[in-house]
Amino acid sequence: MSTVLSGEFWAFVGVVAGIYTIFGLGVQVQFGYTGLLNFGHVAFMAIGAYTMAILTVKTGIGMWAAAVIAIGVSILAGLLLGLPTLRLRADYFAITTIAFSEIVRYVALNEDRLTGGSQGTINLAGAGAAAQYDESWQRFQTRAQAWLHLGSKDVTMLVLVWSAALVLLVLLHLAVRSPWGRVLRSIREDEDAAASLGKNVFSYKLQSLAVGAVLGAVAGLFYAWQFSFFSPDDFAPLVTFFAYTIVILGGTARTWAVPVGAILFGVIYAGTRFFDFPPFSYFDSADRAYLRLAVIGVILIALMAFRPQGLFGKRDEMVLE
Amino acid sequence: MTLLEVRGLTRSFGGVRAVDEASFDVAAGSITALIGPNGAGKSTLFNIVSGFLRAERGTVRFAGRAMQRRTPHRIARAGLVRTFQTPRALTKLSVLENVLLAAPHHPGERLGRVFATPRAVRSHEAAAEREARRLLELVRLDRHADEYAGTLSGGERKLLDFARVLMTEPRLILLDEPMAGVNPTLGGQLLEHILELREERGVAFLLIEHDLDLVMRASDTVVVMNEGRILTVGTPDEVRRDERVVDAYLGAQG
Amino acid sequence: MFLQLLANGLVAGSVIAIAAVGVSLVYEILRIVNFAHGDYLTFGAFVGVAANVRYGERMLVATIVAIVATALLALVLEFALWRPMRRRGAGFMSLFITSIGLALLLRHVLFLVAGAEPRSYAVDPFKVYVVGSVRLGGSQGAAIVVGAVAIVLVGLLLARTALGRKMRALADDRALASIAGVNVDRVVVYTWLLAGALAGLAGVLQGLVQASFTPNTGFQLLLPIFAAVVLGGIGSAYGALVGGLLLGVAMELSTWEELAGGVNPVYKPVVAFVLLIGVLLVRPQGLLGKERLL
């Protein structure tokens, strides 16, 4: 049977889309609602995943406690990043944040004893001992599968990821629709006006960054659980740009547009790997990976040129100016 | 009673003193006009008083408290609120949302409260909306309440700015050319509102205005600036008779 | 050791500086933060390797071919992409994100065309120049000389020529410059040609200095380049030059052992970023940038 038709494959695409939904919601609140061009969002994903894995493998505390701490560490990192940079202009902010995410990646790459280095988490417990951080998750997943009477592990993961994604989506939706979200949108458009009306712009930007950090970390946790192994390469700046593509594809400042963008992105991204009809069949598998990224580039350019408000955004409320 | 006390404010740009040792008072519940030729430093002074610009020297006291080191939002929260020369309507928010944004002490603006006490947030929001609609009616923008503020004309945006400032429940409002670009009928109404607010709520106004007729008619005190310095302070009659004021204006025009 | 590191830093710094001037000019004049600039460098490096290795041209000729080709690439993209985007009224963020799309497109087309395996120029890898206690490889020596000449020429171009004056006028105040009779479209074309040519040169130099390169090389250099631009102050071409050299030197000197043991060389990029964030804490507008006013 062709891979394109296998349920397993589409369950995988669905899981990845769910993780990217959570990750993209972080970009949506920071960029879509607050206008913060945080190009280092992937750092929160890395910090979430690594903190959980390191604590689980190297200390006695359980994986679930480690996951909660990981989210806390990610928030802390967000505040640490925001304090010196949030007063900067948008372009300076974008560049310093991407620098931040690269610092995180370099540290993960080079501090072998802490992170396992370039070989990734398999090396966490030192050479020779294949480290595992997700035993608790596997047990939980098996129980959830039995309890929900689901057919396979993949489908269980799909259900779990999307449950989390939808809960977070609803919470974020409530948050941005509240007066709190109104302040974020006012900052996005004109911080001086917001400040002149008594809004503490800096504090709200920091909060927005922190909320994004939580979502990034949760995405990182699911990423770690889905793949049971990860390495610094999984957190390249490209991942942040994927999230921006998703948010812009769906529509900025639209919470419900994020999952749609993520699903479309998942189909384009994962789908092209297995499409075995022309023009995809003209390329071998390595080349298809490049082709896929070139196509993402074209999509971004085309969106900016022809539909900057995305699929569901309103032109009048367009963020991209 | 003095509400705003400005003492010795100085700020220069590239060696030129835009504001030079400026000192004056605004009495509680008064209407004070700040006039002077273009480039006299009026807007710079506004920016300093409202915290958007740091002074090199000098103090600003509002209701007895030092303001010169505070950030703009803290000054606004103290009850000293400004408008901008070009209105800063938030074009991607609805007209109503623009005014709602200005609601003071709104529990819904705290993320924790949004989830912890949703009912308190909703009732506060409902009350704020009633007040906002009332203010929009006041400036005749109620018909546009649910449209994006971006659809408003320049004059309408000035009115929206005004409504928004009122929503903050201020004690002193700094108005930067409130009448510019507003049609005369509406301008007249705006002036009436200003007078009314002063009477009913004791709100004080400090306004930059180029329409001298209006200034002389409406204000209690006139502060005249020229080349960064305060030229004179007095009642409209006193200022009208002051030779130096006439010279400053003629000099600037000639 | 200190002098050796200083020399290495000047080599790395001149490559960054040359590229950063282009980024800075494009930003000043067009208000585009061009995220694809690193990939312009890569393009130049690959055109150079095609001329040098495949067609056997001398390195000098290959460099000139790379410069011309990258300038033309920048020009083509101005007409095919940036100008139409401006006509559509695309704003700052739209252009920023467009450039990210362009970066992805350029890089991966290069991967498709040229492949992922590392490339090298046909130069003598064992040639060494010795000046006092400093030893520089042949490529490094060439890079430092060519880099210095290019930096001086760009400085002169901006300071002394009519085109340089027009560029600065346009950067200061677009409306005013256009009233004063500056042909905006033409200056924009020259800006891209200059930025592209410098990117081509920087790409070849980086390829020489690094000994080998892949389609990822330019993107890897992009962050130091942006750091240099920001460090110098966005909107200041001179600042970008200074920022680039400073960054290159700082990155190398940080590994000096007598400097509290020195930093592990793998953290050189991190030094650049930390320096950047540190400077911005003290001077949010960058070293030579202008203060923002309300």
Side-chain angles (χ1 to χ4, degrees):
Chain A
M1 191 173 71
S2 147
T3 347
V4 181
L5 298 176
S6 89
E8 217 171 282
F9 168 67
W10 286 110
F12 172 76
V13 172
V15 169
V16 172
I19 294 171
Y20 267 106
T21 298
I22 300 172
F23 188 60
L25 285 173
V27 168
Q28 188 66 288
V29 66
Q30 293 171 353
F31 170 66
Y33 285 96
T34 324
L36 292 173
L37 210 48
N38 174 11
F39 277 170
H41 192 50
V42 71
F44 298 134
M45 194 181 196
I47 289 169
Y50 265 110
T51 309
M52 183 272 293
I54 290 169
L55 289 180
T56 309
V57 173
K58 302 202 172 202
T59 71
I61 62 172
M63 187 204 76
W64 296 106
V68 173
I69 296 172
I71 293 171
V73 171
S74 182
I75 294 176
L76 249 132
L79 299 180
L80 209 68
L81 168 68
L83 285 175
T85 57
L86 276 175
R87 287 179 208 280
L88 302 173
R89 282 166 21 180
D91 37 10
Y92 287 47
F93 181 74
I95 289 156
T96 38
T97 48
I98 194 173
F100 168 72
S101 83
E102 283 292 83
I103 290 176
V104 170
R105 193 169 66 89
Y106 273 109
V107 170
L109 200 57
N110 293 301
E111 293 302 311
D112 296 33
R113 274 184 301 180
L114 180 69
T115 63
S118 59
Q119 292 171 46
T121 53
I122 193 87
N123 204 22
L124 261 180
Q132 260 193 312
Y133 53 79
D134 64 340
E135 284 154 2
S136 301
W137 174 262
Q138 298 297 343
R139 274 199 302 279
F140 170 71
Q141 203 178 342
T142 313
R143 249 182 302 157
Q145 184 179 340
W147 189 62
L148 294 167
H149 304 288
L150 293 170
S152 74
K153 263 183 95 170
D154 296 328
V155 176
T156 313
M157 189 67 186
L158 189 67
V159 171
L160 292 174
V161 169
W162 275 98
S163 305
L166 290 179
V167 168
L168 291 168
L169 178 66
V170 169
L171 288 177
L172 190 68
H173 191 70
L174 291 173
V176 295
R177 289 263 309 251
S178 75
W180 181 78
R182 188 165 58 213
V183 179
L184 295 191
R185 284 182 292 139
S186 77
I187 290 168
R188 179 186 76 194
E189 192 178 336
D190 186 343
E191 356 184 318
D192 290 335
S196 80
L197 296 172
K199 307 305 163 200
N200 187 346
V201 171
F202 186 74
S203 159
Y204 279 98
K205 283 183 174 177
L206 215 49
Q207 291 173 44
S208 172
L209 208 54
V211 170
V214 171
L215 292 161
V218 173
L221 293 174
F222 275 106
Y223 190 88
W225 291 329
Q226 162 69 13
F227 294 101
S228 296
F229 162 81
F230 57 90
S231 71
D233 285 346
D234 294 334
F235 308 108
L238 199 59
V239 180
T240 304
F241 297 144
F242 287 166
Y244 273 81
T245 309
I246 285 166
V247 166
I248 292 164
L249 189 65
T252 42
R254 289 280 173 281
T255 40
W256 292 100
V258 177
V260 181
I263 291 168
L264 277 175
F265 181 83
V267 170
I268 295 166
Y269 193 77
T272 46
R273 186 181 309 182
F274 295 103
F275 287 172
D276 36 18
F277 48 85
F280 301 102
S281 49
Y282 299 141
F283 297 91
D284 67 28
S285 66
D287 279 355
R288 264 187 232 176
Y290 302 135
L291 180 69
R292 196 155 68 218
L293 289 163
V295 167
I296 303 274
V298 172
I299 289 174
L300 265 181
I301 295 172
L303 275 170
M304 289 299 102
F306 303 113
R307 208 176 161 79
Q309 74 272 37
L311 295 176
F312 301 106
K314 283 191 201 158
R315 190 126 203 162
D316 287 334
E317 211 194 313
M318 220 174 66
V319 184
L320 297 153
E321 290 212 326
Chain B
M1 194 195 94
T2 304
L3 183 61
L4 178 74
E5 187 190 283
V6 174
R7 289 293 174 271
L9 280 191
T10 301
R11 168 81 202 210
S12 23
F13 294 113
V16 180
R17 284 198 171 176
V19 174
D20 189 0
E21 298 288 337
S23 304
F24 64 92
D25 292 339
V26 174
S30 74
I31 296 178
T32 305
L34 184 59
I35 65 168
N38 282 327
K42 305 183 297 283
S43 285
T44 308
L45 186 73
F46 255 39
N47 284 338
I48 295 172
V49 170
S50 57
F52 282 89
L53 207 60
R54 282 259 183 275
E56 281 138 28
R57 277 202 306 281
T59 57
V60 177
R61 293 184 78 78
F62 178 69
R65 283 175 298 172
M67 292 286 138
Q68 68 270 11
R69 293 245 154 258
R70 291 197 184 190
T71 50
H73 78 269
R74 288 187 60 211
I75 294 175
R77 280 188 197 169
L80 201 178
V81 187
R82 70 169 300 173
T83 64
F84 295 87
Q85 196 173 350
T86 34
R88 304 289 272 270
L90 297 157
T91 57
K92 287 151 197 167
L93 268 57
S94 77
V95 171
L96 179 66
E97 280 182 311
N98 263 273
V99 185
L100 279 172
L101 175 70
H105 324 295
H106 198 319
E109 291 180 358
R110 288 163 179 270
L111 189 54
R113 296 286 299 274
V114 171
F115 294 105
T117 59
R119 211 175 294 166
V121 168
R122 265 200 307 276
S123 77
H124 197 102
E125 179 78 351
E129 187 174 333
R130 278 192 300 277
E131 174 67 8
R133 289 198 186 272
R134 197 187 66 78
L135 288 170
L136 284 175
E137 231 167 279
L138 196 78
V139 295
R140 309 276 164 101
L141 286 176
D142 45 323
R143 280 181 301 122
H144 303 291
D146 298 316
E147 292 164 24
Y148 283 111
T151 60
L152 299 183
S153 71
E156 287 171 328
R157 290 182 193 197
K158 287 240 140 168
L159 296 172
L160 177 59
D161 260 21
F162 188 64
R164 216 164 55 174
V165 164
L166 291 184
M167 187 76 183
T168 65
E169 296 174 7
R171 297 177 67 186
L172 171 61
I173 303 180
L174 307 184
L175 293 172
D176 201 341
E177 301 193 22
M179 304 299 174
V182 177
N183 82 53
T185 331
L186 263 175
Q189 285 166 353
L190 200 58
L191 184 63
E192 268 172 43
H193 293 319
I194 291 176
L195 295 170
E196 221 174 85
L197 280 163
R198 195 244 315 243
E199 290 305 318
E200 287 173 11
R201 296 204 214 159
V203 180
F205 291 87
L206 174 63
L207 51 110
I208 296 175
E209 187 49 64
H210 285 295
D211 182 346
L212 289 186
D213 274 350
L214 185 138
V215 165
M216 297 303 170
R217 225 163 357 113
S219 49
D220 308 308
T221 310
V222 179
V223 178
V224 187
M225 276 188 93
N226 189 32
E227 292 174 352
R229 280 188 288 271
I230 305 289
L231 201 60
T232 184
V233 180
T235 63
D237 276 337
E238 288 164 3
V239 166
R240 214 190 314 250
R241 284 195 300 267
D242 197 318
E243 292 279 321
R244 290 172 303 170
V245 176
V246 180
D247 284 348
Y249 270 90
L250 288 179
Q253 277 158 8
Chain C
M1 194 61 202
F2 175 79
L3 285 176
Q4 180 68 50
L5 288 174
L6 187 67
N8 291 350
L10 287 175
V11 172
S14 28
V15 176
I16 295 173
I18 292 168
V21 178
V23 171
S24 181
L25 282 174
V26 167
Y27 180 83
E28 276 178 71
I29 289 165
L30 288 142
R31 298 281 175 262
I32 295 173
V33 179
N34 187 14
F35 227 80
H37 205 83
D39 303 290
Y40 288 27
L41 261 74
T42 321
F43 178 81
F46 273 91
V47 171
V49 95
N52 175 235
V53 176
R54 177 174 288 202
Y55 297 104
E57 296 293 346
R58 284 188 303 145
M59 206 50 228
L60 179 68
V61 178
T63 306
I64 291 168
V65 171
I67 290 172
V68 172
T70 315
L72 286 177
L73 172 78
L75 191 65
V76 166
L77 286 170
E78 158 66 9
F79 286 114
L81 179 66
W82 300 117
R83 188 165 293 183
M85 286 296 290
R86 285 202 300 279
R87 296 268 147 87
R88 287 173 167 275
F92 170 78
M93 293 238 188
S94 292
L95 293 174
F96 202 153
I97 289 163
T98 302
S99 78
I100 292 174
L102 178 62
L104 289 175
L105 178 62
L106 282 178
R107 191 173 343 140
H108 295 101
V109 167
L110 266 173
F111 265 118
L112 284 172
V113 174
E117 60 276 12
R119 306 286 180 143
S120 303
Y121 293 108
V123 290
D124 175 8
F126 300 111
K127 189 170 173 187
V128 173
Y129 298 109
V130 181
V131 186
S133 63
V134 176
R135 293 166 60 87
L136 285 177
S139 300
Q140 287 181 305
I144 209 165
V145 171
V146 174
V149 170
I151 286 170
V152 169
L153 283 181
V154 171
L156 284 176
L157 175 83
L158 288 175
R160 295 289 166 81
T161 65
L163 177 63
R165 274 196 295 280
K166 280 178 192 164
M167 281 179 169
R168 280 182 292 139
L170 209 58
D172 272 349
D173 189 333
R174 200 185 184 105
L176 204 65
S178 127
I179 291 167
V182 176
N183 183 339
V184 174
D185 278 347
R186 187 175 305 167
V187 177
V188 164
V189 164
Y190 286 129
T191 303
W192 276 117
L193 282 174
L194 180 60
L198 290 171
L201 176 63
V204 172
L205 290 180
Q206 180 69 7
L208 280 170
V209 170
Q210 270 197 351
S212 75
F213 57 95
T214 69
N216 274 326
T217 296
F219 183 70
Q220 282 158 358
L221 207 57
L222 185 70
L223 279 177
I225 292 171
F226 271 128
V229 174
V230 175
L231 197 62
I234 285 191
S236 165
Y238 299 115
L241 281 176
V242 175
L245 287 171
L246 205 68
L247 212 60
V249 170
M251 279 160 72
E252 289 298 329
L253 283 187
S254 69
T255 64
W256 191 27
E257 279 169 19
E258 281 170 47
L259 203 80
V263 175
N264 183 342
V266 294
Y267 282 126
K268 275 193 273 183
V270 174
V271 170
F273 303 146
V274 171
L275 186 69
L276 170 71
I277 292 173
V279 167
L280 288 178
L281 273 176
V282 187
R283 265 183 83 79
Q285 69 273 35
L287 291 175
L288 300 183
K290 290 184 196 116
E291 200 178 348
R292 184 190 80 119
L293 290 175
L294 191 72

